[in-house]
Amino acid sequence: MVPPSRSSPAPSRRDFLRAAATAATALSFPRLARAASPAGPIPIIGSAESFRFLETRELAQFASVAGWTGLEASVRKAGQIDPSHVRDDLPDFFNAVQQHGLDMPALATDLFTLRDPDAEGVLRTAAKLGIKRVRLGTWKYDAAKPRDPQLAIIVRDLRELGQLAKEIDIKLGVENALRSDRFGSDVRDLVDVIKQSGQDIGIYFNPARAILVHGSAAPQAALAESRLMGAYAEDYLPLGLSPNHQPKACELGMGVSQPAFFKDLRASGFGGIVCIRYEYALGKNEAILKHARTDLATLQQWLGQYSPSPFL
């Protein structure tokens, strides 16, 4: 995806955590009470990617205060954990998250081939810790070359990755892409290539991306349905309102994303996870926690699994 501009500097960790602890009991938006549901609520986790300025235990503490059920760890060169250090750093992060009563059900990675020297180490470390879901990276097309041979390489890569994933009992997934020069901007391509690979690989569906690329989320969501293993909740301004007509992230509910996909997801009895991304400028200190909890409240309302309570 095209990263949004972040004009404000990251706060110091000490200032941020002090402000977060205070703001946790002082924010003005209503607290939420769980609504009865026979299916139980869909777990909502937060993406660690947007909070790289926090160290492992600080991020685990923030996740607990923000109200997520867990974290999606970012095991990427520019993420929370460098893939070359995954054997040491991921268990430390995993344990810190568990100590705060949270889960780490998923990893986000840049992996797209077993030919990456770090790939097997990342996948085997996740399996050893019991992290069952791993999102793969994105394949970029070379515009100067025919597309069919490039798709054949992706089929090969997914076949090899899927074989290892089956051996170590984890599930791999691919997210629909935001840019047309990346594989998977059309879910139809994802489905076709996964079928050709012969592997049990899932799809992480991002409805906001589908709306920007195709104008609607529903047809793309229908294509992903049979392989859906997770969904991302984030939002973008309409391209006509964005600088240079490029994707620009914004607060959930302030852009193109709509409740319909998440309402349908809840009604379907979906058993996967939903991960919130915060890729817009979050500000400093109290503002960061307020954005995190406001977006969470918006998503909870869209899913229909929480409702405001006047008694809390």
Side-chain angles (χ1 to χ4, degrees), residues 98-112:
Q98 286 202 320
Q99 287 169 7
H100 282 82
L102 304 174
D103 296 324
M104 187 183 288
L107 299 185
T109 76
D110 282 332
L111 303 177
F112 55 86

Side-chain angles (χ1 to χ4, degrees), residues 108-187:
T109 76
D110 282 332
L111 303 177
F112 55 86
T113 177
L114 273 181
R115 287 157 177 77
D116 184 325
D118 295 318
E120 189 164 350
V122 170
L123 298 181
R124 288 191 180 277
T125 303
K128 185 176 180 180
L129 292 170
I131 300 171
K132 294 295 187 181
R133 300 175 178 89
V134 176
R135 177 169 61 82
L136 298 173
T138 303
W139 289 259
K140 185 177 180 179
Y141 291 122
D142 186 338
K145 297 179 180 179
R147 186 157 291 193
D148 286 349
Q150 296 181 70
L151 289 173
I153 292 173
I154 298 173
V155 170
R156 179 206 65 191
D157 288 338
L158 285 178
R159 181 179 297 120
E160 294 173 353
L161 287 162
Q163 288 168 347
L164 176 59
K166 183 177 181 180
E167 174 191 329
I168 61 179
D169 191 27
I170 61 174
K171 181 74 177 284
L172 303 179
V174 185
E175 184 182 6
N176 55 308
L178 181 58
R179 293 168 45 174
S180 59
D181 65 342
R182 304 297 172 102
F183 167 67
S185 60
D186 189 332
V187 174

